[in-house]
Amino acid sequence: MERAEQVAHETESWATDSLSLKGWKSNQSVLDRLVAETGGDRLTSSVHVPDERGVGLLATVEVMMVGLASEGWLAGDEAYYEICVRFDVRRETSGPREIAPVPVDCPHGVLDTRAPQ
């Protein structure tokens, strides 16, 4: 989950470019960037408010991310694990887009489709 929070934080600063004079980046492009930066597999995605100037919940994307963790305190063994995360893209009445990661249950069977590491 720490990696998901890092991705959300890094992508959020990029998504706020929509308020600059460089032009508006679409909500879909924010979702695409989130998936690319997680290095994960896109499970679902939806743009709820296609207007980049919209407010409220603008878009969501669910990603299955793969991470690496140590099996024990002194053990040199590392194991791969999967986590499914939904990224919510929102905007308040004024201000930049905000991106928040939320852990979700992986859809049934989705982990079985992935090749073992």
Side-chain angles (χ1 to χ4, degrees), residues 38-89:
T38 63
D41 296 332
R42 182 188 310 252
L43 300 175
T44 64
S45 62
S46 178
V47 175
H48 306 285
V49 180
D51 180 2
E52 286 72 35
R53 295 174 177 89
V55 296
L57 182 61
L58 305 178
T60 57
V61 63
E62 288 186 6
V63 180
M64 182 174 69
M65 299 171 61
V66 177
L68 197 60
S70 177
E71 291 262 291
W73 184 55
L74 290 175
D77 297 335
E78 291 185 323
Y80 286 92
Y81 65 92
E82 290 89 7
I83 181 174
C84 293
V85 179
R86 183 183 73 237
F87 292 93
D88 292 338
V89 181

